[in-house]
Amino acid sequence: MQSAGNAANDNFARHGGVHFRNNASAQEINNYIRKLPAGKRESLFEVLDQLDQAGLITVLNDHVFTDGNGVIGGDTGNDRGQSEQA
């Protein structure tokens, strides 16, 4: 997971680029994940959903994502790696 830089608790999932905010310490989050049943830890999105439901993070449905390189706004595949405007 990568920090967004704007707010100390804002982050983006490394794979999938989902924007979320921490509501608990990294240690609390890691302890919670370790206690999840194996079936609830199979996908990153399942883990994020479980953490959101437990109140340890807040998934921000603001349509801000990162690409696989951590670029906010993502890559649409053009040669400069920048998002294209409509």
Side-chain angles (χ1 to χ4, degrees):
M1 295 182 201
Q2 299 175 333
S3 177
N6 289 344
N9 294 332
D10 279 13
N11 297 285
F12 292 87
R14 184 168 307 213
H15 301 286
V18 174
H19 190 193
F20 67 94
R21 181 168 293 139
N22 287 352
N23 299 327
S25 71
Q27 182 177 358
E28 290 173 292
I29 290 170
N30 289 335
N31 287 338
Y32 183 84
I33 293 169
R34 276 190 215 100
K35 293 175 184 176
L36 286 174
K40 298 287 184 180
R41 290 182 278 144
E42 289 180 356
S43 86
L44 175 62
F45 294 105
E46 178 71 28
V47 171
L48 291 172
D49 185 52
Q50 292 296 314
L51 291 169
D52 188 47
Q53 288 181 29
L56 297 173
I57 68 169
T58 300
V59 174
L60 303 171
N61 292 317
D62 57 4
H63 304 287
V64 176
F65 297 91
T66 62
D67 66 9
N69 297 314
V71 176
I72 295 174
D75 182 4
T76 61
N78 67 27
D79 62 347
R80 293 182 310 277
Q82 299 171 343
S83 297
E84 295 182 15
Q85 300 293 322

